[in-house]
Amino acid sequence: MISVDEARERILSEITPLPPEEVPILDALGRTLAEEVRSDVDIPPFDNSAMDGYAVRAADVEIATAEAPVVLEVLEDVAAGYVATNRVGEGQAIRIMTGAPLPEGADGIVMVEFTERTGSGVNIFKGVRKGESVRYAGEDVREGEVVLAQGKLLKPGDIGMLASTGRAAVRVFRQPRVAILSTGDELVDVGEPLAPGKIRNSNAYSLAAQALEVSAIPVILGIARDRRDDLVEKLEKGLEADILITSGGVSVGDYDLVKQVLAEQGEMLLWKVAMKPGKPLAFGIVKGKPLFGLPGYPTSSMISFDQFVRPAILKMGGRKDLLRPEIEAILDERITKKQGRRYFLRGILERRDGELHAKLAGSQKSGALKSMTLADALLVIGEEVTLVEPGERVTAQLLYGLP
Ligand code: AMP
Ligand code: MG
């Protein structure tokens, strides 16, 4: 049995990022940038007004007050998208809208709230500093500046930045295709009637959903019966994918099918990890593709996916941050465990009196899926620990961000 950290390291050493592809920028949301993006322009591209108001010479309105306004001549009105035709000289102003280019000669904007139009003139009730309410060219981004680093997970602001820098398409890492094969004579697919002794193939769907959550493309291969031939034949169909996953058939005393096929068809690199749930994990390479033989129990398979397949997908997809964010939480209950394995407990987090607390989400059995639906974190209890008392701090791996 090897440790979770050793297993993850071993697995990740076999994984390399997929080649990039070019996609329209809106399709790049949630994808990982495969290139460095520099701006082709200054942003903003020209000095412009940050407010609706009057473009003035700051020196002209220095002494303006509500009681003794300065009167200026208004030369023209300029809206966003247009360029003023006049130059602002002494005693003059131009009515200006937000985003319109700063007229020549002007060096500040008086907000419209501090003005009163009087036909061909305007009363200014308040002075402005030089540069006030002006957005200068290049003040946000300089031409040639790196605006998005390679390896960045693209968020809505990044898509806007790509548009600002004139990019209609961008290179992102290809999304891994993850083929998922469920094994077991007892399985029926959803929508099929349940017969005595049969259970629904839920793993295919929870694992596919976990793949989707990290922007991979799941390919559900269906169910292989507990026969070598069926498993080999159905696995074959998955070889076009980038990652192969099986669930079930890896426990000792079971048919040990996946292990056997993995050893026959490829190279088995590891088997059994010191964790709970999820000990019976097999990992190897079949025809150049990484294969994860996940345990069959619904939560064991999900947590094994979470700890090993998820970082592998992220690495293939070009991501640098492969692990879940962790936070400390105060445990509200007592936990006893055996030494030697790392526990991943399904936990519920709650903020109380300014502190983050954690409690168990219900049954921690490997087959219990209900507690998985209630959990917002995996509480990690170290290999050597045998007892955690209420009030002690534990590490929580956040499944969906902070509650
Ligand atoms: P196995 O690892 O094949 O011995 O599977 C362990 C247990 O996990 C089985 O007895 C089933 O109850 C359950 N199981 C296996 N595969 C699935 C699946 N695809 N969906 C839901 N439960 C499963
Ligand atoms: Mg089975």
Side-chain angles (χ1 to χ4, degrees):
M1 229 168 21
I2 68 167
S3 75
V4 171
D5 298 329
E6 285 170 325
R8 195 186 289 121
E9 217 170 280
R10 183 76 188 85
I11 289 165
L12 290 176
S13 73
E14 297 291 331
I15 306 290
T16 45
L18 294 171
E21 61 182 353
E22 191 164 80
V23 300
I25 54 174
L26 208 45
D27 293 342
L29 182 67
R31 304 282 298 273
T32 306
L33 194 58
E35 59 175 308
E36 183 179 80
V37 175
R38 290 172 185 272
S39 180
D40 66 337
V41 283
D42 278 346
I43 305 174
F46 47 84
D47 299 348
N48 67 93
S49 178
M51 297 284 180
D52 285 349
Y54 288 84
V56 298
R57 293 153 35 110
D60 288 357
V61 297
E62 217 177 350
I63 55 163
T65 62
E67 295 74 35
V70 168
V71 182
L72 300 175
E73 175 197 0
V74 179
L75 299 172
E76 61 178 311
D77 285 27
V78 56
Y82 299 91
V83 179
T85 50
N86 292 286
R87 181 189 165 83
V88 176
E90 204 179 327
Q92 296 177 324
I94 287 177
R95 172 78 171 108
I96 194 166
M97 302 303 167
T98 305
L102 185 71
E104 266 184 64
D107 58 10
I109 307 292
V110 182
M111 285 166 68
V112 72
E113 288 85 338
F114 301 111
T115 67
E116 184 183 40
R117 189 78 174 247
T118 57
S120 63
V122 61
N123 292 328
I124 305 287
F125 299 119
K126 202 176 169 207
V128 286
R129 280 173 290 105
K130 246 183 156 173
E132 194 162 327
S133 298
V134 176
R135 297 167 65 230
Y136 288 103
E139 127 186 332
D140 188 18
V141 173
R142 284 267 166 223
E143 183 186 333
E145 181 182 330
V146 175
V147 284
L148 301 171
Q150 200 233 37
K152 188 172 198 306
L153 174 66
L154 295 172
K155 303 191 188 74
D158 304 324
I159 306 302
M161 182 58 87
L162 286 165
S164 302
T165 54
R167 300 294 301 267
V170 70
R171 284 158 76 77
V172 292
F173 289 99
R174 189 160 73 65
Q175 293 164 288
R177 280 162 305 165
V178 180
I180 300 163
L181 182 62
S182 309
T183 72
D185 285 349
E186 74 277 31
L187 302 178
V188 296
D189 207 346
V190 303
E192 301 292 320
L194 274 179
K198 306 294 181 187
I199 61 165
R200 293 200 173 99
N201 173 19
S202 62
N203 288 357
Y205 297 91
S206 45
L207 296 170
Q210 284 179 294
L212 283 171
E213 223 181 21
V214 280
S215 292
I217 302 166
V219 182
I220 295 181
L221 298 176
I223 299 166
R225 298 306 169 193
D226 289 319
R227 291 191 315 270
R228 188 196 158 278
D229 295 352
D230 200 30
L231 187 59
V232 171
E233 186 195 313
K234 297 214 163 101
L235 257 188
E236 196 77 27
K237 297 208 178 82
L239 284 172
E240 276 173 30
D242 304 296
I243 292 179
L244 298 163
I245 296 178
T246 62
S247 86
V250 284
S251 9
V252 189
D254 188 5
Y255 293 85
D256 282 15
L257 258 181
V258 175
K259 269 196 324 165
Q260 190 191 320
V261 168
L262 185 51
E264 261 174 47
Q265 305 276 312
E267 190 189 356
M268 178 140 119
L269 299 176
L270 69 88
W271 160 237
K272 272 197 188 172
V273 181
M275 64 190 283
K276 188 179 173 171
K279 179 173 76 171
L281 174 88
F283 174 77
I285 306 291
V286 177
K287 309 211 163 106
K289 302 291 166 75
L291 183 144
F292 294 83
L294 304 184
Y297 278 119
T299 300
S300 303
S301 66
M302 284 190 76
I303 291 180
S304 304
F305 181 107
D306 190 76
Q307 298 298 309
F308 305 112
V309 188
R310 184 180 184 276
I313 289 175
L314 292 176
K315 186 172 178 189
M316 258 192 190
R319 289 272 289 275
K320 308 265 197 273
D321 45 342
L322 305 180
L323 300 183
R324 285 197 178 277
E326 292 184 345
I327 193 165
E328 298 245 291
I330 300 169
L331 193 65
D332 282 349
E333 46 200 304
R334 182 187 158 93
I335 288 167
T336 55
K337 72 179 267 294
K338 291 198 195 107
Q339 238 177 12
R341 288 207 259 163
R342 187 180 297 180
Y343 280 26
F344 295 92
L345 304 171
R346 287 142 263 173
I348 293 174
L349 300 177
E350 186 185 89
R351 288 203 179 275
R352 223 167 48 233
D353 310 323
E355 298 263 28
L356 192 65
H357 288 258
K359 62 179 183 192
L360 297 181
S363 168
Q364 298 294 318
K365 286 189 176 166
S366 304
L369 195 52
K370 195 165 70 182
S371 52
M372 200 70 204
T373 76
L374 298 172
D376 11 64
L378 296 177
L379 310 178
V380 185
I381 316 291
E383 287 80 350
E384 300 318 312
V385 177
T386 55
L387 171 70
V388 192
E389 296 278 13
E392 282 187 45
R393 285 173 190 275
V394 294
T395 298
Q397 294 183 350
L398 298 174
L399 295 173
Y400 316 106
L402 271 175

